[in-house]
Amino acid sequence: MSSGPYNYNYIFKYIIIGDMGVGKSCLLHQFTEKKFMANCPHTIGVEFGTRIIEVADKKIKLQIWDTAGQERFRAVTRSYYRGAAGALMVYDITRRSTYNHLSSWLTDTRNLTNPNTVIFLIGNKSDLESTREVTYEEAKQFADENGLMFAEASAMNGQNVEEAFLETARKIYQNIQEGRLDLNASESGVQHRPSQPGRTSLTSDTPNNKDQCSC
Amino acid sequence: MEELLSEVVPQQDLEKFEKKYHQELDQQSVSHRTQFEYAWCLVRSSYAPDIQKGILLLEDLMTRDADGKRDYIYYLAIGNARIKQYSLAMKFCKAFLQIEPNNQQVISLEQYVKDKLEKESLKGIAVAGGAALALGGLIGLGIALAKNRKTANKD
Ligand SMILES: Nc1nc2c(ncn2[C@@H]2O[C@H](COP(=O)(O)OP(=O)(O)O)[C@@H](O)[C@H]2O)c(=O)[nH]1
Ligand SMILES: [Mg+2]
């Protein structure tokens, strides 16, 4: 890894987890492209997305791993949990079974990430009020009992999607400021990239634009 | 896409799924799931022979398990892209998109592979062009030398 100048100061690694069909990939696309994919096919293995955001005047690159919820992928997708700074745990407010499975997703997350990993619970498909099966109150209580952040959101109309990703980042940033995260440990899920444009001339062979392309 | 293709499987995971695969192999009853899990880890290795091995396991699965075809073709494309076998990667992307034309995961991968292939062919042209220039240069030099010799002879 080169130490050349970057157009961001930090990298935060996120994972998105939850049952198949709850809207994980749609949330990712809504966040990275501000679009709703109506006919999103089932994810194969993992999908990747990225976006640069700003928290407290710092530019943060989010590297987001969207995992497939199907059972046959689950064993291997666990290796993506390691080193996640943030985990978005998603259920579908119109399908109670996806809510009932949360404790198993939470157990995986707790076992495979570090104690400071920020977990944000998302009750997705809030636009489908008429077919709701899980109330806001009971999910809020579950979140409070387990120390999770929580919001209901809709990947379809965009409600609370930005907020969920950004509030997770703010919380991670706060943990850094308060010294709770060891930035030198790879499992923290955070990398610091001091941007020092003055050094460009010293590292002339650095492929600067590599990290600027939106892959 | 770059991140997806350079991300490396944790060594302990590779070993875990390798062990599971070999245990089942010893009992001569390797399940599709176990073989796929091991192959998926192998194609995410940083070591090219591992990726090759993963590709062989996926190709074998293709012949044995029609239900998982979608997953296998996708990871065959990923594996080949990771070892820079872009023409093969392209072949698998195209095969996939024939069945599922709107798959965003595969469309992004295909775009990436297409860019790489274009760059390679441009480089190819540059190399061929360079060779032609060099050859032209040699002939030119030969003519110049011959001329020189003539003038030298004259003197
Ligand atoms: N009404 C509504 N449908 C959604 C929403 N998010 C996702 N969907 C639909 O739910 C299905 C599954 O979404 P997908 O993102 O593939 O789920 P994943 O398996 O968790 O990645 C798709 O048909 C989406 O169109 C939402 O917020 N509202
Ligand atoms: Mg998905």
Side-chain angles (χ1 to χ4, degrees), chain A residues 10 12 176 180-186 188-193:
Chain A
Y10 291 92
F12 291 178
I176 297 171
R180 273 197 288 268
L181 279 181
D182 176 6
L183 297 192
N184 295 319
S186 67
S188 73
V190 173
Q191 292 171 52
H192 191 38
R193 291 265 188 257

Side-chain angles (χ1 to χ4, degrees), chain A residues 21-195:
Chain A
V22 297
K24 298 182 293 297
S25 302
C26 288
L27 286 164
L28 174 65
H29 280 263
Q30 181 61 256
F31 179 67
T32 57
E33 278 146 49
K34 304 202 162 64
K35 274 192 292 214
F36 177 64
M37 294 196 310
N39 297 312
C40 184
H42 295 314
T43 306
I44 309 166
V46 291
E47 243 188 296
F48 178 80
T50 179
R51 192 179 130 186
I52 294 176
I53 58 163
E54 221 167 282
V55 171
D57 288 334
K58 295 275 186 288
K59 288 222 161 43
I60 297 169
K61 179 175 181 169
L62 299 183
Q63 293 186 334
I64 310 156
W65 298 91
D66 164 31
T67 61
Q70 279 139 303
E71 190 49 40
R72 69 175 182 284
F73 295 120
R74 193 149 172 191
V76 179
T77 47
R78 285 197 178 98
S79 69
Y80 290 89
Y81 286 54
R82 227 163 278 134
L88 306 183
M89 193 165 76
V90 188
Y91 69 96
D92 175 348
I93 67 155
T94 71
R95 274 196 298 145
R96 176 156 286 276
S97 63
T98 67
Y99 176 80
N100 293 341
H101 294 152
L102 287 177
S103 51
S104 127
W105 290 110
L106 187 59
T107 305
D108 267 7
T109 311
R110 294 252 198 258
N111 287 341
L112 297 161
T113 62
N114 72 77
N116 288 306
T117 298
V118 173
I119 308 175
F120 198 115
L121 177 65
I122 299 179
N124 190 39
K125 310 198 186 180
S126 62
D127 55 289
L128 298 177
E129 191 54 54
S130 60
T131 48
R132 176 192 284 276
E133 286 184 1
V134 182
T135 66
Y136 177 89
E137 289 71 25
E138 65 177 313
K140 174 76 179 130
Q141 191 183 343
F142 175 83
D144 288 345
E145 280 166 5
N146 290 285
L148 317 174
M149 301 172 90
F150 171 63
E152 286 189 349
S154 167
M156 186 157 107
N157 63 26
Q159 190 205 8
N160 279 341
V161 175
E162 290 273 316
E163 287 79 355
F165 283 86
L166 296 187
E167 276 178 35
T168 303
R170 280 188 208 111
K171 182 74 185 154
I172 296 167
Y173 187 71
Q174 191 188 337
N175 284 342
I176 297 171
Q177 293 307 96
E178 292 170 3
R180 273 197 288 268
L181 279 181
D182 176 6
L183 297 192
N184 295 319
S186 67
E187 66 267 25
S188 73
V190 173
Q191 292 171 52
H192 191 38
R193 291 265 188 257
S195 57

